[in-house]
Amino acid sequence: MIEPKNTSRKRGFYVKMRLLHNNNNTRKSSFCYKYFKWVLWFSLSFYFFAMFLFNHKPNNTNNTSYSSPIISKTTVPQYSKASRALIEHPQREHHHSVDSLNGLKIYVYELPTRYNTDWLTNERCSNHLFASEVAIHKALINSDVRTFDPFEADFFFVPVYVSCNFSAVNGFPAIGHARSLISSAIQLISLEFPFWNRSSGSDHVFVASHDFGSCFHTLEDVAMADGIPENLRNSIILQTFGVKYDHPCQRAEHVVIPPYVSPESVRKTLATADVNGKRDIFAFFRGKMEIHPKNVSGRYYSKKVRTVILQKYGNDRRFYLKRHRFSGYQSEILRSTFCLCPLGWAPWSPRLVESVVLGCVPVIIADGIDLPFSSAVPWSEISITVAEKDVGKLGSILENVVATNLSSIQKKLWDPRITRALLFHDRTIEGDATWHVLHALTKKLSRSHRRLRLSDE
């Protein structure tokens, strides 16, 4: 009888050796695991630290609302919030949302270039005070509200540049051709498209950025006598002219828009200015001031307001009054506490915009003026209004402001939202001038043939 082999010792030895081997592997894997954890932790820490250094920029502007620093009468703060908002290129900010504009759709007519872009050979065309006609066209071409299908459009934009024909005599825009050029454009689109005739032009939009809007004349009496061309009276006019009383030059559906001021010129002024400089000019004005105003068709330039300012305050050291042009005049605005904005032939001027965006309190001297985008720009809180008949009391009026509420006015004036609302950009930014034009158009959607058709279905 063969006895079975005794394998218990061998089995015990095998188990013991196996356990010893496993213990050695566990120690090795534990060491590798700990080493891996340290390497991983160090790598992640270094990555996040590097990303922080790369993305972090010092920012002292924690709040862009009315809580910006108060600007004293004499000192410009170092890179104030308004300055930074302009210098840091607003194109990088969020672009407008179609949803915020109630799904607005605009068709831009592609007219022959003789109606618009041919005029751009003169660089002034896209940079002078009437250039909103160019700026709005550019912005709409690049806008999300633009549609290439005219049948889904709410409005139709007619891009005609009429203020780029500069006089060889005085350099001012000559707009004698405006009526015929616009009439030609209307004839063209009414023959080639069905949309003008369908609505008699009520859903068509034009820009008239001239002294008296779509009356197309520099002198008010002539503008009033001529009135708005008959073929435009049913359309929507975007115009710089606006008054709070009945006037023949606004007897059409219209939106009051700001005069054009180049955002790039403002950025350059702010970027090159001495940030430690003082507002050493109490009251500033540079522009046409006639010593002996001429009687033109029974009217005087500026209704003699500018002449009174010159006569009364020409030798007053508080007032910095200059009659001649100076290319760097924006730097003078930046040095000023108050900027005078008297009427010329028309009540409005680019000084309104330049004063605000450069932090100078605008002093508006133009009775009955209707200011642009009043729902977004609190004009009564950021400016001083002086009646034309009270211009002789200007000095005491401004001294009283200094003694009472100047700091409050300046604090609100530097809100970057206000600056944004008054400037046009090549690409529309939510809250900029073109955006407010579009927002105003959403209030007129009852004129949209498409919306009326959809509501009837």
Side-chain angles (χ1 to χ4, degrees), residues 4 20 62 126 145 176 183 252 298 317 353 361 364 407:
L20 182 60
N62 296 324
S126 57
V145 305
S183 179
R317 292 185 178 181
V353 174
V361 178
I364 302 169
S407 295

Side-chain angles (χ1 to χ4, degrees), residues 259-302:
Y260 182 81
V261 172
S262 166
E264 187 59 32
S265 71
V266 174
R267 272 194 292 271
K268 287 180 179 178
T269 299
L270 290 167
T272 58
D274 180 6
V275 294
N276 294 315
K278 295 182 178 181
R279 290 193 178 267
D280 56 333
I281 299 173
F282 178 73
F284 168 73
F285 178 80
R286 181 181 286 277
K288 183 177 180 180
M289 291 182 286
E290 295 181 331
I291 299 174
H292 304 291
K294 301 176 184 65
N295 184 328
V296 181
S297 303
R299 294 174 182 267
Y300 293 92
Y301 182 70
S302 188

Side-chain angles (χ1 to χ4, degrees), residues 204-449:
H204 283 58
V205 182
F206 296 81
V207 180
S209 52
H210 325 101
D211 292 73
F212 294 98
S214 51
C215 283
F216 300 115
H217 204 282
T218 303
L219 298 178
E220 187 172 15
D221 57 331
V222 179
M224 292 174 67
D226 292 346
I228 298 171
E230 188 173 353
N231 52 10
L232 283 183
R233 292 175 187 172
N234 203 36
S235 299
I236 301 171
I237 314 296
L238 311 178
Q239 59 183 44
T240 44
F241 173 74
V243 288
K244 295 178 180 178
Y245 50 85
D246 181 50
H247 195 286
C249 297
Q250 58 181 20
R251 289 177 188 163
E253 193 70 25
H254 65 282
V255 176
V256 179
I257 63 174
Y260 182 81
V261 172
S262 166
E264 187 59 32
S265 71
V266 174
R267 272 194 292 271
K268 287 180 179 178
T269 299
L270 290 167
T272 58
D274 180 6
V275 294
N276 294 315
K278 295 182 178 181
R279 290 193 178 267
D280 56 333
I281 299 173
F282 178 73
F284 168 73
F285 178 80
R286 181 181 286 277
K288 183 177 180 180
M289 291 182 286
E290 295 181 331
I291 299 174
H292 304 291
K294 301 176 184 65
N295 184 328
V296 181
S297 303
R299 294 174 182 267
Y300 293 92
Y301 182 70
S302 188
K303 298 180 183 178
K304 294 188 177 181
V305 166
R306 297 189 186 190
T307 299
V308 173
I309 293 173
L310 182 62
Q311 291 173 344
K312 179 80 175 180
Y313 300 105
N315 295 320
D316 190 323
R317 292 185 178 181
R318 297 172 300 172
F319 286 74
Y320 187 83
L321 308 176
K322 299 295 179 182
R323 299 175 58 202
H324 303 291
R325 294 182 182 181
F326 169 51
S327 60
Y329 71 95
Q330 284 190 353
S331 63
E332 296 173 322
I333 295 175
L334 198 60
R335 292 170 50 201
S336 304
T337 299
F338 296 105
C339 288
L340 309 186
C341 303
L343 72 163
W345 285 120
W348 64 271
S349 84
R351 294 177 185 85
L352 288 167
V353 174
E354 290 171 319
S355 299
V356 172
V357 300
L358 293 170
C360 182
V361 178
V363 181
I364 302 169
I365 312 169
D367 293 354
I369 186 173
D370 189 14
L371 296 164
F373 306 149
S374 55
S375 62
V377 181
W379 288 104
S380 62
E381 299 176 15
I382 64 168
S383 64
I384 306 298
T385 299
V386 177
E388 293 168 14
K389 66 180 179 62
D390 293 331
V391 71
K393 306 173 187 176
L394 196 54
S396 59
I397 291 172
L398 298 183
E399 289 289 1
N400 183 62
V401 172
V402 172
T404 55
N405 62 334
L406 176 61
S407 295
S408 174
I409 294 171
Q410 289 175 323
K411 181 179 180 180
K412 294 173 182 178
L413 182 63
W414 281 102
D415 183 351
R417 292 173 298 181
I418 295 175
T419 294
R420 187 180 302 123
L422 295 175
L423 295 176
F424 294 95
H425 301 95
D426 288 348
R427 297 191 67 87
T428 308
I429 303 164
E430 185 162 355
D432 78 349
T434 305
W435 186 90
H436 281 289
V437 167
L438 298 175
H439 187 262
L441 290 177
T442 66
K443 306 299 182 183
K444 304 181 186 299
L445 284 171
S446 59
R447 287 173 160 258
S448 167
H449 184 273

